[in-house]
Amino acid sequence: MTGVPASAAGGSSSARRTGPRGTSGPAQEPAGRTNPGRAVERGAAERGAATDRGTPDRGTTDRGSAERGSAEGGAAGRGGKIAAAAVNQASVWNVANLLTMLRLLLVPAFVALMLGNGGYDPAWRSFAWAAFAIAMITDLFDGHLARTYNLVTDFGKIADPIADKAIMGAALICLSALGDLPWWVTAVILGRELGITVLRFVVIRYGVIPASRGGKLKTLTQGIAVGMYVLALTGPLATLRFWVMAAAVVLTVATGLDYVKQAIVLRRRGIAERRAALEGTEA
């Protein structure tokens, strides 16, 4: 019987390789030979790992940027507040407030001139009229300057109405004390001025009562009438000043009633808005 060829019985010895301990398995690469594709993959992986270790985390970078931005924004905000406070502090000594201070200083000067030499000397009364006229003119300019050039300050809001009432009240009281003007006229005008001032503070929580044209006309008429009484006028001018003062009294009462009406409407509107806001919050 002839022998079976080796290729038929077990195949070519080159088709099967044995493992390290004689076990069959996949062919092993010879030592010293490497697969080029796997080497490239391992190199890329190592470079990627090195890059990841060397590159800072993006979240850390973003947090650092945010912290720096917050610090810079806080410093800028503090600097802005300090600068704003400095501007507000310096703006107290602006032109409008200086005119208001001048008007306050003119009040005692006016009283001294008005009552000088018994209060009936035409020369002293002329000087008193000059002081009164300057005070009234500055009253027109300080408000205009404050609104036009943004010079409105808390001091001006408080001092301006005080100066207005002070110069007008001083003139009316002096005239009544000298017998040139009935006391009831002084009481009506000053009572209206003080009452409206208190009313403004009462309703300020609901809004601000704007100055009307009638109120401005009232102020102008009062100034003209009181100025004519301060001067020692006789004849037709003395008769004219009586009618000018009568017109001032009528405007004083009419505008006072109008302010009371506006205050009532403003208060009702404010209460209704607050009530609606509370109902909306509860709902």
Side-chain angles (χ1 to χ4, degrees), residues 107-116 118-120 125 128 166-183 186 190 226 229-230:
V107 174
F110 167 81
V111 173
L113 293 171
M114 188 70 182
L115 301 178
Y120 298 101
R125 296 282 284 261
I167 190 66
M168 183 61 67
L172 290 170
I173 291 174
C174 287
L175 289 172
S176 295
L178 293 173
D180 293 340
L181 190 68
W183 277 105
T186 298
L190 292 184
V226 172
Y229 269 87
V230 170

Side-chain angles (χ1 to χ4, degrees), residues 43-65:
E46 293 175 357
R47 286 194 299 271
T51 303
D52 292 339
R53 289 193 299 269
T55 304
D57 184 32
R58 179 169 294 179
T60 306
T61 304
D62 293 342
R63 288 194 299 271
S65 300

Side-chain angles (χ1 to χ4, degrees), residues 8-229:
S12 175
S13 61
S14 61
R16 179 178 295 184
R17 299 174 184 269
T18 57
R21 294 185 181 178
T23 61
S24 62
Q28 301 294 322
E29 294 178 358
R33 293 179 61 187
T34 58
N35 190 330
R38 292 185 180 181
V40 172
E41 291 176 359
R42 285 197 300 271
E46 293 175 357
R47 286 194 299 271
T51 303
D52 292 339
R53 289 193 299 269
T55 304
D57 184 32
R58 179 169 294 179
T60 306
T61 304
D62 293 342
R63 288 194 299 271
S65 300
E67 292 175 356
R68 288 194 299 272
S70 177
E72 293 174 358
R78 290 191 296 271
K81 291 180 180 180
I82 295 173
V87 170
N88 291 334
Q89 184 177 4
S91 65
V92 173
W93 300 97
N94 58 51
V95 177
N97 287 344
L98 290 176
L99 291 176
T100 302
M101 295 177 191
L102 174 62
R103 195 158 69 255
L104 288 171
L105 294 176
L106 284 174
V107 174
F110 167 81
V111 173
L113 293 171
M114 188 70 182
L115 301 178
N117 199 17
Y120 298 101
D121 190 333
W124 285 89
R125 296 282 284 261
S126 297
F127 290 126
W129 177 86
F132 181 80
I134 293 173
M136 296 304 295
I137 291 173
T138 56
D139 180 32
L140 297 176
F141 279 103
D142 62 354
H144 176 73
L145 290 173
R147 291 186 297 270
T148 302
Y149 298 101
N150 194 23
L151 301 176
V152 178
T153 61
D154 292 337
F155 172 80
K157 293 177 183 178
I158 298 173
D160 183 68
I162 292 176
D164 298 342
K165 307 299 185 293
I167 190 66
M168 183 61 67
L172 290 170
I173 291 174
C174 287
L175 289 172
S176 295
L178 293 173
D180 293 340
L181 190 68
W183 277 105
W184 70 266
V185 175
T186 298
V188 168
I189 295 178
L190 292 184
R192 184 267 186 196
E193 299 298 333
L194 294 177
I196 295 302
T197 301
V198 173
L199 187 62
R200 286 178 181 273
F201 282 106
V202 170
V203 301
I204 195 171
R205 69 183 68 179
Y206 305 108
V208 178
I209 303 176
S212 62
R213 294 183 178 179
K216 295 178 180 179
L217 181 60
K218 177 268 306 178
T219 302
L220 178 62
T221 308
Q222 282 183 359
I224 294 174
V226 172
M228 295 179 71
Y229 269 87

